[in-house]
């Protein structure tokens, strides 16, 4: 960049390149949204105190920047972000060519004092640096609110038509909205085209101004030289000496003293912003990149690769330990013996929360019978899982959820068969629930019915 700048600017080492100026503008444009974002997060925790501040953020930010920029313009000769990049503002001499290179080399201190911004120049630059961006933000916000309605509805949009006998306030709002819809788009386009034209002219060394507004206030951007740093250091040292005079009887040097605060704390606080605020913006952008990029996901994925998650535990099943103890010694291979091992002892059935009726369930499989279907007690065919995590044959769990399984029908008709409640005789309709629409092991409802079942690829 320095090589390109030297090619463009020739022997003028104090003229900054366009890339430096664009970087400074980009940094300045990042400050308002970053502060607004932090304020919005804090407002969620303390809305009673900060909601009004958030609603008036543009006005409060403009007022604060007015104080900060005025301090930096008077003490450092440049704005807040401009000083961060080592830039300053100076007046343009009303002479032919506008340059005094020999005097700049021989008497840099005198030239600096001559081109230093005067009081009226400071206020003109404040209008460009603070007033113009504030006005631009408010116009853009108003345009986004009012203009899209007319664009979508077309010529038939007449909700904001001027009524008969309108008041002064209504007339002002009517013409303001008319300006936003009809004239502001052209004004906005002319604004950006003028910036582009001055940037191109500055890039090819055809103009001393990179912005049309600096041309209007007769101010240009320059790099800070040795004389500038020497003058700033001398001014800071003299300010420190004035802030700490000899002690007098009854004098207080506390920071709460208005005189001490105005001469010592306030300048140091504003000067520290040139380092603290850009560093905070960098940290905020880094966190935004960290959460938006895939790099953080890859790190978290690698960190959890070695973790072995335990199997899911179904609440309400207290018979698993009993099954494992009683079937530890069983070593039969035929299907009939497997069925006897899977029966297990009696257990209390779950109770429906609405009807208070017991729900028909089947015992859960154990570690030794995990390859069997809990319903038919045969090896699982076409494994299908319910939402509770239990695995069955597809045909068995489909008919069970549908309420048409043979085991359900036999139990509800009064047959004992293989169930644990075989001593109950007679029809169980009205005394039991068949388990229709529920998981066969846990008795919990399967959301979506048969559509809630999921095939397992083994």
């Amino acid at each position: 960049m320095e090589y390109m700048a030297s090619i463009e600017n020739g022997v003028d080492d104090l003229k900054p390149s366009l890339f430096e100026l664009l970087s400074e503008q980009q940094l300045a444009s990042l400050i308002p949204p970053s502060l607004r974002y932090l304020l919005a997060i804090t407002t969620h925790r303390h809305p009673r105190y900060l909601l009004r501040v958030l609603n008036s953020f543009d006005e409060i930010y403009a007022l604060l920047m007015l104080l900060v920029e005025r301090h930096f313009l008077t003490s450092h000769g440049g704005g807040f972000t401009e000083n961060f990049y080592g830039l300053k503002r100076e007046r343009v001499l009303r002479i032919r060519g506008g340059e005094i290179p020999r005097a700049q080399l021989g008497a840099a201190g005198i030239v600096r004092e001559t081109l230093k911004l005067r009081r009226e120049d400071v206020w003109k630059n404040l209008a460009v640096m603070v007033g113009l961006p504030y006005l631009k933000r408010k116009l853009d916000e108003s345009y986004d609110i009012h203009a899209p309605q007319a664009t979508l509805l077309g010529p038939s949009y007449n909700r904001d038509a001027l009524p008969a006998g309108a008041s002064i306030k209504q007339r002002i709002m009517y013409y303001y909205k008319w300006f936003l819809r009809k004239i502001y788009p052209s004004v906005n386009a002319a604004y950006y085209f003028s910036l582009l034209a001055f940037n191109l002219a500055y890039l090819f060394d055809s103009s001393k101004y990179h912005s049309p507004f600096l041309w209007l206030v007769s101010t240009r951007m320059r790099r800070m030289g040795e004389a500038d740093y020497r003058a700033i250091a001398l001014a800071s040292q003299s300010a420190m000496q004035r802030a700490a005079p000899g002690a007098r009887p009854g004098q207080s040097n506390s920071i709460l003293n208005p005189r001490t605060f105005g001469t010592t704390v306030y300048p140091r606080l504003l000067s520290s912003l040139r380092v603290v605020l850009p560093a905070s913006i960098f940290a905020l952008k880094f966190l935004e990149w960290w959460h938006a990029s895939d790099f953080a996901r890859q790190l978290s994925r690698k960190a959890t690769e070695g973790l072995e998650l335990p199997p899911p535990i179904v609440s309400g099943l207290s018979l698993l330990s009993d099954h494992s103890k009683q079937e530890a010694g069983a070593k039969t291979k035929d299907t009939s013996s497997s069925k006897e091992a899977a029966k297990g002892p009696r257990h209390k059935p779950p109770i429906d929360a609405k009807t208070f009726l017991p729900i028909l369930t089947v015992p859960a499989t154990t570690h030794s019978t995990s390859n069997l279907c809990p319903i038919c007690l045969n090896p699982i065919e076409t494994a299908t899982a319910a939402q509770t995590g239990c695995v069955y044959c597809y045909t068995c769990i489909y008919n069970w959820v549908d309420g048409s399984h043979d085991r359900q029908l036999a139990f509800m008709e009064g047959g004992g068969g293989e169930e644990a409640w075989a001593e109950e005789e007679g029809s169980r309709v009205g005394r039991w629930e068949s388990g229709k629409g529920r998981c066969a092991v846990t008795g919990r409802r399967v959301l979506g019915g048969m559509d809630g079942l999921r095939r397992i690829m083994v």
Side-chain angles (χ1 to χ4, degrees):
M1 181 180 295
E2 294 296 332
Y3 175 72
M4 293 299 298
S6 63
I7 293 179
E8 296 172 5
N9 302 327
V11 296
D12 192 359
D13 296 331
L14 297 181
K15 180 180 179 181
S17 65
L18 180 63
F19 305 103
E20 295 176 75
L21 299 175
L22 294 180
S23 300
E24 181 271 327
Q25 293 176 1
Q26 186 177 11
L27 177 61
S29 64
L30 289 176
I31 295 178
S34 301
L35 294 179
R36 186 190 294 269
Y37 175 73
L38 296 177
L39 181 60
I41 293 178
T42 312
T43 304
H44 283 291
R45 297 188 176 184
H46 308 282
R48 179 180 179 183
Y49 305 102
L50 299 178
L51 186 59
R52 293 184 179 180
V53 179
L54 182 61
N55 293 335
S56 304
F57 173 79
D58 291 330
E59 290 74 15
I60 296 176
Y61 175 77
L63 181 60
L64 293 178
M65 289 306 296
L66 183 65
L67 299 176
V68 174
E69 297 290 6
R70 183 179 180 277
H71 168 75
F72 275 89
L73 283 176
T74 54
S75 60
H76 297 79
F80 166 62
T81 54
E82 295 166 357
N83 183 258
F84 180 78
Y85 280 91
L87 304 176
K88 67 172 184 177
R89 294 174 179 244
E90 68 177 20
R91 296 185 298 114
V92 178
L93 294 177
R94 300 293 183 178
I95 61 176
R96 185 176 182 180
E99 300 290 346
I100 45 176
R102 294 183 179 180
Q104 185 73 41
L105 295 175
I110 299 177
V111 173
R112 179 190 180 277
E113 294 298 327
T114 304
L115 301 180
K116 184 179 178 180
L117 297 179
R118 296 169 297 186
R119 184 175 181 180
E120 56 270 17
D121 297 321
V122 170
W123 287 106
K124 290 179 182 178
N125 283 270
L126 286 176
V128 173
M129 299 168 63
V130 180
L132 186 64
Y134 169 76
L135 181 62
K136 183 73 167 55
R137 284 196 299 268
K138 301 305 289 186
L139 288 176
D140 289 340
E141 181 181 350
S142 301
Y143 179 80
D144 293 336
I145 294 175
H146 300 290
Q149 301 174 355
T151 304
L152 292 175
L153 300 179
S156 59
Y157 178 78
N158 57 356
R159 190 183 68 179
D160 292 332
L162 187 63
S167 62
I168 298 178
K169 182 178 179 180
Q170 290 177 336
R171 290 179 180 274
I172 294 176
M173 289 301 300
Y174 172 78
Y175 288 115
Y176 176 65
K177 294 178 181 179
W178 176 85
F179 166 78
L180 291 175
R181 300 192 201 103
K182 302 297 183 180
I183 302 178
Y184 182 68
S186 302
V187 174
N188 194 37
Y191 169 81
Y192 285 108
F193 275 119
S194 62
L195 289 178
L196 178 61
F198 270 82
N199 285 339
L200 291 177
Y202 186 86
L203 179 64
F204 292 102
D205 205 13
S206 299
S207 174
K208 300 181 180 63
Y209 313 96
H210 74 284
S211 171
F213 306 103
L214 293 182
W215 170 71
L216 291 176
V217 297
S218 300
T219 305
R220 63 176 178 175
M221 302 297 302
R222 304 288 285 176
R223 288 197 185 103
M224 296 179 64
E226 183 181 355
D228 299 295
Y229 289 108
R230 190 184 303 111
I232 293 174
L234 183 60
S236 301
Q237 184 178 2
S238 60
M240 289 291 297
Q241 293 176 356
R242 291 195 305 269
R248 292 180 296 176
Q251 182 181 2
S252 175
N253 290 330
S254 173
I255 60 174
L256 300 180
N257 187 3
R259 184 172 180 270
T260 306
F261 182 83
T263 57
T264 305
V265 180
Y266 179 70
R268 290 185 178 182
L269 180 63
L270 293 179
S271 299
S272 63
L273 291 178
R274 62 178 180 177
V275 178
V276 175
L277 201 55
S280 304
I281 294 175
F282 173 77
L284 184 63
K285 289 298 176 181
F286 175 77
L287 293 177
E288 182 180 353
W289 166 82
W290 176 266
H291 291 288
S293 65
D294 190 57
F295 183 71
R297 301 189 189 97
Q298 293 179 2
L299 286 181
S300 61
R301 191 182 301 114
K302 290 182 179 180
T304 56
E305 281 181 355
L307 296 180
E308 295 183 0
L309 299 178
I313 299 176
V314 182
S315 60
L317 298 181
S318 61
L319 68 157
L320 294 179
S321 59
D322 299 335
H323 282 320
S324 60
K325 292 180 181 178
Q326 295 185 7
E327 298 178 357
K331 296 182 179 180
T332 56
K333 297 182 180 180
D334 55 333
T335 307
S336 59
S337 60
S338 300
K339 293 181 179 180
E340 293 295 331
K343 287 182 181 179
R346 295 185 181 183
H347 64 278
K348 294 182 180 181
I351 306 299
D352 185 80
K354 295 183 179 180
T355 61
F356 300 102
L357 296 178
I359 304 171
L360 173 62
T361 56
V362 297
T365 58
T366 61
H367 180 71
S368 59
T369 60
S370 60
N371 62 329
L372 302 181
C373 174
I375 299 177
C376 67
L377 302 179
N378 294 323
I380 295 177
E381 296 181 359
T382 314
T384 304
Q387 296 167 354
T388 57
C390 301
V391 183
Y392 313 88
C393 298
Y394 176 76
T395 305
C396 295
I397 189 60
Y398 183 90
N399 293 331
W400 188 280
V401 174
D402 188 51
S404 59
H405 196 274
D406 295 339
R407 194 168 177 177
Q408 290 174 294
L409 298 178
F411 179 80
M412 296 303 293
E413 289 175 359
E418 302 172 348
E419 304 303 334
W421 307 279
E423 67 274 8
E424 296 185 8
E425 298 180 355
S427 176
R428 297 184 176 88
V429 178
R431 294 186 297 165
W432 282 77
E433 284 198 10
S434 64
K436 179 181 179 180
R438 300 176 180 271
C439 174
V441 173
T442 63
R444 296 183 178 181
R445 290 196 177 274
V446 179
L447 301 179
M450 282 81 75
D451 295 334
L453 305 176
R454 293 292 180 266
R455 300 278 292 275
I456 300 178
M457 303 300 295
V458 182

